[in-house]
Amino acid sequence: MDGKHMQIGEVAARTELSLRTIRHYEETGLVAPSARSQGGFRLYTETDVARLMVIRRMKPLGFTLDQMRELLDATDRLDGDDQLDADRRAELLALVRAYQQAAAEQVEKLRVQLARAEDFEATLRARSDDAAAP
């Protein structure tokens, strides 16, 4: 086990996700608390926090819960102790690369959107500055 256990409130603060969102990801099987306290509280580890951060980064890029699950499963398998044969390892790495490429494409689309938004904001600022001039 990877060290310190945290309750859901600390995990929410660390990941900037709401308690409700974390519970939703639990219900959908994307993340599972590693343990329970004696009082029955869910306990999480750094590994759980890292999984939630992957999910948090994928969501704004438009990835579905199923895609998140597929990528997390692939990275779990690649990072795991079980011996993967060369073909399976290559398959999983190709899947991770495909997600990396999809993420890069989404980032580029967001850059274009951001540039347009900045242009729009600058146009409005210039207009309001002109209007404010005596």
Side-chain angles (χ1 to χ4, degrees):
M1 200 50 67
D2 48 352
K4 181 175 101 100
H5 285 85
M6 296 162 265
Q7 289 189 14
I8 194 168
E10 183 178 348
V11 174
R14 294 256 318 264
T15 60
E16 298 178 349
L17 294 168
S18 70
L19 302 184
R20 183 176 172 195
T21 297
I22 294 170
R23 288 191 189 106
H24 174 65
Y25 292 150
E26 283 176 22
E27 286 162 15
T28 57
L30 281 175
V31 68
S34 296
R36 293 235 177 218
S37 71
Q38 297 205 327
F41 292 107
R42 299 169 176 89
L43 296 175
Y44 303 82
T45 62
E46 290 297 334
T47 300
D48 301 323
V49 169
R51 285 179 77 83
L52 285 164
M53 293 303 290
V54 169
I55 296 163
R56 195 187 95 180
R57 290 177 183 125
M58 289 181 81
K59 190 167 175 39
L61 297 178
F63 291 103
T64 67
L65 294 179
D66 285 340
Q67 289 172 316
M68 293 174 192
R69 191 175 294 109
E70 182 180 52
L71 179 61
L72 287 165
D73 181 55
T75 56
D76 286 349
R77 300 280 313 279
L78 286 166
D79 295 343
D81 298 332
D82 51 336
Q83 298 300 311
L84 297 170
D85 64 48
D87 287 347
R88 186 65 184 133
R89 177 170 288 282
E91 234 174 74
L92 291 169
L93 286 170
L95 181 69
V96 171
R97 273 194 288 277
Y99 275 104
Q100 180 270 319
Q101 185 60 43
E105 289 167 15
Q106 282 303 114
V107 166
E108 195 48 46
K109 285 180 187 170
L110 288 168
R111 279 201 178 100
V112 170
Q113 286 181 331
L114 179 60
R116 289 176 182 158
E118 287 172 338
D119 287 347
F120 177 63
E121 186 274 334
T123 301
L124 293 176
R125 185 173 354 109
R127 178 177 290 260
S128 64
D129 288 348
D130 287 347

PDB file of all heavy atoms in Angstrom, residues 59-85:
ATOM      1  N   LYS A  59     -11.462  14.855 -18.700  1.00  0.00           N
ATOM      2  CA  LYS A  59     -12.856  15.313 -18.845  1.00  0.00           C
ATOM      3  C   LYS A  59     -13.001  16.557 -19.715  1.00  0.00           C
ATOM      4  O   LYS A  59     -13.804  16.571 -20.648  1.00  0.00           O
ATOM      5  CB  LYS A  59     -13.479  15.507 -17.469  1.00  0.00           C
ATOM      6  CG  LYS A  59     -14.984  15.756 -17.533  1.00  0.00           C
ATOM      7  CD  LYS A  59     -15.605  15.627 -16.170  1.00  0.00           C
ATOM      8  CE  LYS A  59     -17.070  15.971 -16.150  1.00  0.00           C
ATOM      9  NZ  LYS A  59     -17.848  15.527 -17.288  1.00  0.00           N
ATOM     10  N   PRO A  60     -12.221  17.642 -19.465  1.00  0.00           N
ATOM     11  CA  PRO A  60     -12.409  18.830 -20.300  1.00  0.00           C
ATOM     12  C   PRO A  60     -11.986  18.631 -21.752  1.00  0.00           C
ATOM     13  O   PRO A  60     -12.302  19.440 -22.607  1.00  0.00           O
ATOM     14  CB  PRO A  60     -11.545  19.901 -19.627  1.00  0.00           C
ATOM     15  CG  PRO A  60     -10.803  19.246 -18.544  1.00  0.00           C
ATOM     16  CD  PRO A  60     -11.257  17.838 -18.394  1.00  0.00           C
ATOM     17  N   LEU A  61     -11.275  17.559 -22.029  1.00  0.00           N
ATOM     18  CA  LEU A  61     -10.870  17.268 -23.412  1.00  0.00           C
ATOM     19  C   LEU A  61     -11.931  16.446 -24.135  1.00  0.00           C
ATOM     20  O   LEU A  61     -11.738  16.043 -25.277  1.00  0.00           O
ATOM     21  CB  LEU A  61      -9.514  16.554 -23.437  1.00  0.00           C
ATOM     22  CG  LEU A  61      -8.348  17.377 -22.889  1.00  0.00           C
ATOM     23  CD1 LEU A  61      -7.061  16.566 -22.916  1.00  0.00           C
ATOM     24  CD2 LEU A  61      -8.175  18.677 -23.656  1.00  0.00           C
ATOM     25  N   GLY A  62     -13.059  16.185 -23.450  1.00  0.00           N
ATOM     26  CA  GLY A  62     -14.178  15.530 -24.111  1.00  0.00           C
ATOM     27  C   GLY A  62     -14.147  14.007 -24.097  1.00  0.00           C
ATOM     28  O   GLY A  62     -14.932  13.369 -24.796  1.00  0.00           O
ATOM     29  N   PHE A  63     -13.258  13.413 -23.315  1.00  0.00           N
ATOM     30  CA  PHE A  63     -13.221  11.953 -23.236  1.00  0.00           C
ATOM     31  C   PHE A  63     -14.415  11.435 -22.426  1.00  0.00           C
ATOM     32  O   PHE A  63     -14.829  12.065 -21.458  1.00  0.00           O
ATOM     33  CB  PHE A  63     -11.914  11.469 -22.606  1.00  0.00           C
ATOM     34  CG  PHE A  63     -10.710  11.694 -23.476  1.00  0.00           C
ATOM     35  CD1 PHE A  63      -9.828  12.727 -23.216  1.00  0.00           C
ATOM     36  CD2 PHE A  63     -10.468  10.878 -24.582  1.00  0.00           C
ATOM     37  CE1 PHE A  63      -8.721  12.950 -24.021  1.00  0.00           C
ATOM     38  CE2 PHE A  63      -9.356  11.089 -25.389  1.00  0.00           C
ATOM     39  CZ  PHE A  63      -8.482  12.124 -25.110  1.00  0.00           C
ATOM     40  N   THR A  64     -14.952  10.296 -22.833  1.00  0.00           N
ATOM     41  CA  THR A  64     -16.084   9.693 -22.129  1.00  0.00           C
ATOM     42  C   THR A  64     -15.591   8.887 -20.929  1.00  0.00           C
ATOM     43  O   THR A  64     -14.402   8.561 -20.831  1.00  0.00           O
ATOM     44  CB  THR A  64     -16.865   8.744 -23.060  1.00  0.00           C
ATOM     45  OG1 THR A  64     -16.021   7.622 -23.377  1.00  0.00           O
ATOM     46  CG2 THR A  64     -17.312   9.448 -24.335  1.00  0.00           C
ATOM     47  N   LEU A  65     -16.532   8.517 -20.049  1.00  0.00           N
ATOM     48  CA  LEU A  65     -16.168   7.678 -18.900  1.00  0.00           C
ATOM     49  C   LEU A  65     -15.602   6.344 -19.377  1.00  0.00           C
ATOM     50  O   LEU A  65     -14.651   5.817 -18.788  1.00  0.00           O
ATOM     51  CB  LEU A  65     -17.378   7.455 -17.999  1.00  0.00           C
ATOM     52  CG  LEU A  65     -17.925   8.694 -17.284  1.00  0.00           C
ATOM     53  CD1 LEU A  65     -19.146   8.333 -16.442  1.00  0.00           C
ATOM     54  CD2 LEU A  65     -16.870   9.363 -16.421  1.00  0.00           C
ATOM     55  N   ASP A  66     -16.163   5.780 -20.441  1.00  0.00           N
ATOM     56  CA  ASP A  66     -15.647   4.509 -20.965  1.00  0.00           C
ATOM     57  C   ASP A  66     -14.216   4.662 -21.475  1.00  0.00           C
ATOM     58  O   ASP A  66     -13.380   3.773 -21.276  1.00  0.00           O
ATOM     59  CB  ASP A  66     -16.548   3.969 -22.083  1.00  0.00           C
ATOM     60  CG  ASP A  66     -17.850   3.382 -21.551  1.00  0.00           C
ATOM     61  OD1 ASP A  66     -17.908   3.044 -20.342  1.00  0.00           O
ATOM     62  OD2 ASP A  66     -18.803   3.255 -22.334  1.00  0.00           O
ATOM     63  N   GLN A  67     -13.946   5.781 -22.136  1.00  0.00           N
ATOM     64  CA  GLN A  67     -12.577   6.019 -22.610  1.00  0.00           C
ATOM     65  C   GLN A  67     -11.619   6.196 -21.439  1.00  0.00           C
ATOM     66  O   GLN A  67     -10.501   5.682 -21.460  1.00  0.00           O
ATOM     67  CB  GLN A  67     -12.546   7.252 -23.521  1.00  0.00           C
ATOM     68  CG  GLN A  67     -13.219   7.010 -24.856  1.00  0.00           C
ATOM     69  CD  GLN A  67     -13.343   8.283 -25.669  1.00  0.00           C
ATOM     70  OE1 GLN A  67     -13.707   9.337 -25.142  1.00  0.00           O
ATOM     71  NE2 GLN A  67     -13.032   8.200 -26.939  1.00  0.00           N
ATOM     72  N   MET A  68     -12.062   6.906 -20.404  1.00  0.00           N
ATOM     73  CA  MET A  68     -11.229   7.066 -19.205  1.00  0.00           C
ATOM     74  C   MET A  68     -10.918   5.708 -18.601  1.00  0.00           C
ATOM     75  O   MET A  68      -9.776   5.421 -18.221  1.00  0.00           O
ATOM     76  CB  MET A  68     -11.947   7.944 -18.182  1.00  0.00           C
ATOM     77  CG  MET A  68     -12.130   9.379 -18.614  1.00  0.00           C
ATOM     78  SD  MET A  68     -13.141  10.270 -17.387  1.00  0.00           S
ATOM     79  CE  MET A  68     -13.509  11.768 -18.275  1.00  0.00           C
ATOM     80  N   ARG A  69     -11.966   4.874 -18.511  1.00  0.00           N
ATOM     81  CA  ARG A  69     -11.797   3.530 -17.944  1.00  0.00           C
ATOM     82  C   ARG A  69     -10.798   2.719 -18.782  1.00  0.00           C
ATOM     83  O   ARG A  69      -9.929   2.043 -18.246  1.00  0.00           O
ATOM     84  CB  ARG A  69     -13.154   2.826 -17.882  1.00  0.00           C
ATOM     85  CG  ARG A  69     -13.160   1.544 -17.085  1.00  0.00           C
ATOM     86  CD  ARG A  69     -14.564   0.952 -16.961  1.00  0.00           C
ATOM     87  NE  ARG A  69     -15.440   1.803 -16.170  1.00  0.00           N
ATOM     88  CZ  ARG A  69     -16.456   2.519 -16.662  1.00  0.00           C
ATOM     89  NH1 ARG A  69     -16.754   2.471 -17.946  1.00  0.00           N
ATOM     90  NH2 ARG A  69     -17.187   3.271 -15.863  1.00  0.00           N
ATOM     91  N   GLU A  70     -10.927   2.799 -20.106  1.00  0.00           N
ATOM     92  CA  GLU A  70     -10.034   2.048 -21.002  1.00  0.00           C
ATOM     93  C   GLU A  70      -8.580   2.484 -20.819  1.00  0.00           C
ATOM     94  O   GLU A  70      -7.675   1.649 -20.721  1.00  0.00           O
ATOM     95  CB  GLU A  70     -10.469   2.253 -22.457  1.00  0.00           C
ATOM     96  CG  GLU A  70      -9.622   1.477 -23.450  1.00  0.00           C
ATOM     97  CD  GLU A  70     -10.055   1.677 -24.887  1.00  0.00           C
ATOM     98  OE1 GLU A  70     -10.192   2.847 -25.323  1.00  0.00           O
ATOM     99  OE2 GLU A  70     -10.260   0.666 -25.577  1.00  0.00           O
ATOM    100  N   LEU A  71      -8.354   3.802 -20.765  1.00  0.00           N
ATOM    101  CA  LEU A  71      -6.988   4.301 -20.596  1.00  0.00           C
ATOM    102  C   LEU A  71      -6.423   3.931 -19.223  1.00  0.00           C
ATOM    103  O   LEU A  71      -5.282   3.477 -19.116  1.00  0.00           O
ATOM    104  CB  LEU A  71      -6.930   5.809 -20.798  1.00  0.00           C
ATOM    105  CG  LEU A  71      -5.532   6.421 -20.613  1.00  0.00           C
ATOM    106  CD1 LEU A  71      -4.538   5.850 -21.615  1.00  0.00           C
ATOM    107  CD2 LEU A  71      -5.583   7.930 -20.713  1.00  0.00           C
ATOM    108  N   LEU A  72      -7.224   4.114 -18.177  1.00  0.00           N
ATOM    109  CA  LEU A  72      -6.755   3.757 -16.834  1.00  0.00           C
ATOM    110  C   LEU A  72      -6.445   2.270 -16.735  1.00  0.00           C
ATOM    111  O   LEU A  72      -5.455   1.871 -16.114  1.00  0.00           O
ATOM    112  CB  LEU A  72      -7.786   4.172 -15.781  1.00  0.00           C
ATOM    113  CG  LEU A  72      -7.864   5.679 -15.516  1.00  0.00           C
ATOM    114  CD1 LEU A  72      -9.136   6.022 -14.766  1.00  0.00           C
ATOM    115  CD2 LEU A  72      -6.636   6.166 -14.767  1.00  0.00           C
ATOM    116  N   ASP A  73      -7.280   1.444 -17.356  1.00  0.00           N
ATOM    117  CA  ASP A  73      -7.029   0.002 -17.359  1.00  0.00           C
ATOM    118  C   ASP A  73      -5.712  -0.307 -18.068  1.00  0.00           C
ATOM    119  O   ASP A  73      -4.907  -1.100 -17.585  1.00  0.00           O
ATOM    120  CB  ASP A  73      -8.196  -0.734 -18.023  1.00  0.00           C
ATOM    121  CG  ASP A  73      -7.984  -2.242 -18.033  1.00  0.00           C
ATOM    122  OD1 ASP A  73      -7.762  -2.816 -16.939  1.00  0.00           O
ATOM    123  OD2 ASP A  73      -8.010  -2.855 -19.121  1.00  0.00           O
ATOM    124  N   ALA A  74      -5.492   0.348 -19.197  1.00  0.00           N
ATOM    125  CA  ALA A  74      -4.254   0.117 -19.947  1.00  0.00           C
ATOM    126  C   ALA A  74      -3.030   0.528 -19.139  1.00  0.00           C
ATOM    127  O   ALA A  74      -2.047  -0.213 -19.064  1.00  0.00           O
ATOM    128  CB  ALA A  74      -4.292   0.874 -21.279  1.00  0.00           C
ATOM    129  N   THR A  75      -3.099   1.714 -18.507  1.00  0.00           N
ATOM    130  CA  THR A  75      -1.940   2.162 -17.728  1.00  0.00           C
ATOM    131  C   THR A  75      -1.756   1.305 -16.473  1.00  0.00           C
ATOM    132  O   THR A  75      -0.624   1.035 -16.075  1.00  0.00           O
ATOM    133  CB  THR A  75      -2.034   3.665 -17.372  1.00  0.00           C
ATOM    134  OG1 THR A  75      -3.259   3.912 -16.687  1.00  0.00           O
ATOM    135  CG2 THR A  75      -1.954   4.526 -18.622  1.00  0.00           C
ATOM    136  N   ASP A  76      -2.859   0.846 -15.881  1.00  0.00           N
ATOM    137  CA  ASP A  76      -2.757  -0.080 -14.738  1.00  0.00           C
ATOM    138  C   ASP A  76      -2.017  -1.348 -15.157  1.00  0.00           C
ATOM    139  O   ASP A  76      -1.155  -1.843 -14.435  1.00  0.00           O
ATOM    140  CB  ASP A  76      -4.141  -0.473 -14.206  1.00  0.00           C
ATOM    141  CG  ASP A  76      -4.816   0.639 -13.411  1.00  0.00           C
ATOM    142  OD1 ASP A  76      -4.146   1.639 -13.090  1.00  0.00           O
ATOM    143  OD2 ASP A  76      -6.017   0.491 -13.136  1.00  0.00           O
ATOM    144  N   ARG A  77      -2.405  -1.877 -16.313  1.00  0.00           N
ATOM    145  CA  ARG A  77      -1.776  -3.119 -16.798  1.00  0.00           C
ATOM    146  C   ARG A  77      -0.289  -2.892 -17.091  1.00  0.00           C
ATOM    147  O   ARG A  77       0.553  -3.722 -16.759  1.00  0.00           O
ATOM    148  CB  ARG A  77      -2.478  -3.619 -18.064  1.00  0.00           C
ATOM    149  CG  ARG A  77      -3.954  -3.941 -17.928  1.00  0.00           C
ATOM    150  CD  ARG A  77      -4.259  -5.300 -17.308  1.00  0.00           C
ATOM    151  NE  ARG A  77      -3.525  -6.411 -17.830  1.00  0.00           N
ATOM    152  CZ  ARG A  77      -3.815  -7.072 -18.963  1.00  0.00           C
ATOM    153  NH1 ARG A  77      -4.836  -6.705 -19.697  1.00  0.00           N
ATOM    154  NH2 ARG A  77      -3.077  -8.086 -19.343  1.00  0.00           N
ATOM    155  N   LEU A  78       0.033  -1.754 -17.717  1.00  0.00           N
ATOM    156  CA  LEU A  78       1.428  -1.453 -18.046  1.00  0.00           C
ATOM    157  C   LEU A  78       2.266  -1.241 -16.788  1.00  0.00           C
ATOM    158  O   LEU A  78       3.436  -1.612 -16.749  1.00  0.00           O
ATOM    159  CB  LEU A  78       1.516  -0.215 -18.945  1.00  0.00           C
ATOM    160  CG  LEU A  78       1.100  -0.433 -20.396  1.00  0.00           C
ATOM    161  CD1 LEU A  78       0.897   0.903 -21.100  1.00  0.00           C
ATOM    162  CD2 LEU A  78       2.113  -1.293 -21.144  1.00  0.00           C
ATOM    163  N   ASP A  79       1.656  -0.630 -15.755  1.00  0.00           N
ATOM    164  CA  ASP A  79       2.390  -0.352 -14.519  1.00  0.00           C
ATOM    165  C   ASP A  79       2.375  -1.519 -13.545  1.00  0.00           C
ATOM    166  O   ASP A  79       3.091  -1.505 -12.553  1.00  0.00           O
ATOM    167  CB  ASP A  79       1.791   0.872 -13.804  1.00  0.00           C
ATOM    168  CG  ASP A  79       1.956   2.145 -14.612  1.00  0.00           C
ATOM    169  OD1 ASP A  79       2.785   2.167 -15.537  1.00  0.00           O
ATOM    170  OD2 ASP A  79       1.233   3.118 -14.317  1.00  0.00           O
ATOM    171  N   GLY A  80       1.532  -2.517 -13.815  1.00  0.00           N
ATOM    172  CA  GLY A  80       1.340  -3.620 -12.877  1.00  0.00           C
ATOM    173  C   GLY A  80       2.494  -4.596 -12.842  1.00  0.00           C
ATOM    174  O   GLY A  80       3.440  -4.511 -13.628  1.00  0.00           O
ATOM    175  N   ASP A  81       2.377  -5.524 -11.911  1.00  0.00           N
ATOM    176  CA  ASP A  81       3.429  -6.515 -11.721  1.00  0.00           C
ATOM    177  C   ASP A  81       3.301  -7.695 -12.676  1.00  0.00           C
ATOM    178  O   ASP A  81       4.274  -8.384 -12.931  1.00  0.00           O
ATOM    179  CB  ASP A  81       3.395  -7.054 -10.272  1.00  0.00           C
ATOM    180  CG  ASP A  81       3.657  -5.952  -9.258  1.00  0.00           C
ATOM    181  OD1 ASP A  81       4.356  -4.978  -9.606  1.00  0.00           O
ATOM    182  OD2 ASP A  81       3.157  -6.073  -8.124  1.00  0.00           O
ATOM    183  N   ASP A  82       2.076  -7.924 -13.182  1.00  0.00           N
ATOM    184  CA  ASP A  82       1.890  -9.103 -14.025  1.00  0.00           C
ATOM    185  C   ASP A  82       2.734  -8.976 -15.294  1.00  0.00           C
ATOM    186  O   ASP A  82       2.862  -7.922 -15.891  1.00  0.00           O
ATOM    187  CB  ASP A  82       0.408  -9.321 -14.364  1.00  0.00           C
ATOM    188  CG  ASP A  82      -0.270  -8.076 -14.925  1.00  0.00           C
ATOM    189  OD1 ASP A  82       0.226  -6.965 -14.649  1.00  0.00           O
ATOM    190  OD2 ASP A  82      -1.276  -8.232 -15.627  1.00  0.00           O
ATOM    191  N   GLN A  83       3.346 -10.089 -15.668  1.00  0.00           N
ATOM    192  CA  GLN A  83       4.231 -10.110 -16.830  1.00  0.00           C
ATOM    193  C   GLN A  83       3.395 -10.104 -18.101  1.00  0.00           C
ATOM    194  O   GLN A  83       2.662 -11.048 -18.381  1.00  0.00           O
ATOM    195  CB  GLN A  83       5.129 -11.356 -16.783  1.00  0.00           C
ATOM    196  CG  GLN A  83       6.056 -11.397 -15.579  1.00  0.00           C
ATOM    197  CD  GLN A  83       6.990 -10.199 -15.537  1.00  0.00           C
ATOM    198  OE1 GLN A  83       7.622  -9.873 -16.535  1.00  0.00           O
ATOM    199  NE2 GLN A  83       7.066  -9.531 -14.393  1.00  0.00           N
ATOM    200  N   LEU A  84       3.497  -9.012 -18.868  1.00  0.00           N
ATOM    201  CA  LEU A  84       2.783  -8.925 -20.142  1.00  0.00           C
ATOM    202  C   LEU A  84       3.697  -9.462 -21.235  1.00  0.00           C
ATOM    203  O   LEU A  84       4.893  -9.171 -21.240  1.00  0.00           O
ATOM    204  CB  LEU A  84       2.450  -7.465 -20.451  1.00  0.00           C
ATOM    205  CG  LEU A  84       1.519  -6.737 -19.493  1.00  0.00           C
ATOM    206  CD1 LEU A  84       1.512  -5.249 -19.818  1.00  0.00           C
ATOM    207  CD2 LEU A  84       0.115  -7.303 -19.587  1.00  0.00           C
ATOM    208  N   ASP A  85       3.115 -10.215 -22.173  1.00  0.00           N
ATOM    209  CA  ASP A  85       3.955 -10.634 -23.294  1.00  0.00           C
ATOM    210  C   ASP A  85       4.188  -9.421 -24.194  1.00  0.00           C
ATOM    211  O   ASP A  85       3.496  -8.410 -24.100  1.00  0.00           O
ATOM    212  CB  ASP A  85       3.361 -11.834 -24.041  1.00  0.00           C
ATOM    213  CG  ASP A  85       2.043 -11.541 -24.713  1.00  0.00           C
ATOM    214  OD1 ASP A  85       1.941 -10.503 -25.410  1.00  0.00           O
ATOM    215  OD2 ASP A  85       1.106 -12.345 -24.565  1.00  0.00           O
TER     216      ASP A  85
END
